[in-house]
Amino acid sequence: MHDAGAAIALLKGASTAAAGVFRAILTRGPISRIDIARLLGLSQAAVTKAVGPLLEVGLVSDELSLPRDGQPGRPANPLMVVADALVSIGVKVNADEIVGVATDLTTHVLAVDRRPLKATTPSVVVEAIEATTRSLVGALGDRADRLCAVGVSVSGDVDTSLGVVRESAIMGWTDVPLGAVLSGRLGRDVLVENDVRALTIGEHWFGVGVGTDLFAIVTIGRGIGSGLHINGDVVAGAYGVAGEIGHLPLTSPDHVCPCGRRGCVEAVAGTPAIVASVSRALGRDLSIVEIVELAHQGDPVAVRTFEHAATVIGTAIATLVNLTGPQLVIIGGEAVSNFDLFETHLRASFAEHAFGAASRCEIVTRPHTFEDWARGASAAAIRRLAEHGL
């Protein structure tokens, strides 16, 4: 049976144990009841009690039979989520574009909507998000009544509990109550999350983080950001700020960051900083595409600028790794396509500053499209619903 309303009500009213059982099935399924009990430290009776209502409303299924690895006896009936039982919408806010996706419960993309932003004022952005959301709801057709969550991700200091963007240099915002405004316009609860943290949540639940206790994502592009996954969960920080390596003061105070502070990593390594530095040195306005081409052609100014940015980022990653000890750092963001211009100096700087065994941390690249960032926003909304009833 698929009863979307009953399924949403069940998740919103779930006990801590029941929420944990659903989360385990969602992120680790197919998984047996015994394995869930071991994973969560629950009795098999408690797991069985939690699973019953999930089966009844059609959120999970136990109809997949697997053999017991050659062992005699009846085949196991592991539990797995019914991915299309509910759908979610995720929206990534950029300075020049809104990217939205509708996904199922495993963040498989069902529909996409992209639209340019004419300005970054909150009112313009809210109208664009509303238009994107309504377009995606229309694209869902008969599945629209299964919509359980809406998530929006924005760069900057975001108070997720209040839905307030406290500071976003990229958007030029201070204390914008985005969640409340959008909830009023859309007629439903909206989760607002920092964009890199949302991306990390997506990787935690449905990507490299499944089964990995410690990893970090570092994004290189217009901004320099980081998301932390430590001891099996994504770190939000006591005040909603954690992993902001773009604002570590690791460079000269002569460099002013878009956030208004001095000496930040982002002040020399973010795309706008690279563009401004090379354009100023060469005496003409250049785009990042032109600067990348110049660097590939061996232009000394462009090459040195990327090398300096890479050195500072490598030092920042070493600082992050020394403090938190992840086994893996994933480098993403729009600048990953030009990682060859960063890689040598970034890795050398990391190796120079990583302390002891921290140097064994693996650094890999993983391209993320803006649709992936929007999927992260959807994952964050699903996570909030599954764990806290949104």
Side-chain angles (χ1 to χ4, degrees):
M1 180 182 93
H2 293 285
D3 186 336
I8 295 170
L10 178 65
L11 292 178
K12 287 187 173 183
S15 65
T16 300
V21 169
F22 176 68
R23 182 172 66 250
I25 299 168
L26 176 62
T27 60
R28 294 174 181 262
I31 183 171
S32 70
R33 291 168 173 81
I34 293 176
D35 287 339
I36 294 172
R38 290 172 179 164
L39 178 68
L40 301 180
L42 298 174
S43 68
Q44 291 189 46
V47 172
T48 298
K49 180 180 179 181
V51 166
L54 295 172
L55 290 168
E56 185 178 345
V57 299
L59 275 171
V60 302
S61 171
D62 62 355
E63 295 180 358
L64 175 66
S65 294
L66 296 177
R68 293 183 180 272
D69 299 325
Q71 299 297 318
R74 297 177 61 190
N77 291 96
L79 296 158
M80 59 188 303
V81 72
V82 179
D84 65 352
L86 296 174
V87 297
S88 175
I89 286 176
V91 178
K92 170 69 169 81
V93 177
N94 297 316
D96 57 355
E97 182 185 35
I98 296 291
V99 182
V101 296
T103 78
D104 64 18
L105 282 174
T106 62
T107 68
H108 171 72
V109 175
L110 305 172
V112 179
D113 185 85
R114 304 178 72 128
R115 58 191 64 222
L117 279 177
K118 297 178 181 178
T120 60
T121 57
S123 60
V124 171
V125 173
V126 165
E127 288 180 4
I129 294 173
E130 182 180 12
T132 287
T133 302
R134 298 199 186 286
S135 174
L136 290 169
V137 168
L140 286 170
D142 293 341
R143 292 177 291 193
D145 62 356
R146 303 179 199 175
L147 181 60
C148 66
V150 176
V152 176
S153 68
V154 186
S155 171
D157 177 357
V158 177
D159 185 331
T160 304
S161 62
L162 296 178
V164 174
V165 182
R166 291 183 291 218
E167 181 181 352
S168 176
I170 287 175
M171 300 303 295
W173 292 357
T174 301
D175 293 330
V176 175
L178 187 61
V181 175
L182 284 173
S183 294
R185 294 287 287 265
L186 299 178
R188 62 174 64 247
D189 292 336
V190 177
L191 175 76
V192 180
E193 181 61 275
N194 168 270
D195 57 352
V196 182
R197 193 157 57 235
L199 186 66
T200 308
I201 290 168
E203 292 288 357
H204 168 210
W205 273 34
F206 305 109
V208 297
V210 177
T212 302
D213 286 335
L214 295 162
F215 78 88
I217 291 180
V218 172
T219 56
I220 304 174
R222 185 178 181 90
I224 309 295
S226 176
L228 300 172
H229 175 277
I230 297 177
N231 296 332
D233 204 358
V234 176
V235 177
Y239 304 103
V241 179
E244 289 287 350
I245 68 168
H247 300 288
L248 291 175
L250 297 180
T251 186
S252 166
D254 293 339
H255 300 288
V256 180
C257 183
C259 75
R261 298 164 183 85
R262 291 180 174 272
C264 297
V265 171
E266 198 168 295
V268 297
T271 298
I274 291 173
V275 168
S277 178
V278 177
S279 296
R280 183 169 57 250
L282 295 182
R284 63 184 190 275
D285 290 336
L286 295 164
S287 68
I288 188 60
V289 174
E290 292 170 320
I291 292 171
V292 167
E293 185 177 353
L294 285 172
H296 282 142
Q297 291 171 354
D299 179 87
V301 171
V303 169
R304 283 197 305 270
T305 302
F306 276 108
E307 289 176 350
H308 180 50
T311 298
V312 175
I313 294 171
T315 303
I317 294 174
T319 303
L320 175 73
V321 171
N322 289 342
L323 287 170
T324 61
Q327 62 203 84
L328 176 69
V329 171
I330 304 160
I331 297 181
E334 60 265 33
V336 166
S337 59
N338 306 316
F339 191 65
D340 59 308
L341 298 173
F342 293 94
E343 184 165 16
T344 299
H345 283 73
L346 185 152
R347 291 187 183 277
S349 179
F350 171 78
E352 179 181 356
H353 295 288
F355 177 76
S359 63
R360 292 159 53 188
C361 176
E362 185 180 6
I363 298 176
V364 301
T365 60
R366 178 167 177 172
H368 290 104
T369 67
F370 282 124
E371 289 179 19
D372 292 323
W373 291 77
R375 284 179 63 238
S378 180
I382 293 168
R383 176 179 182 255
R384 175 57 67 91
L385 174 65
E387 293 186 345
H388 306 290
L390 198 66

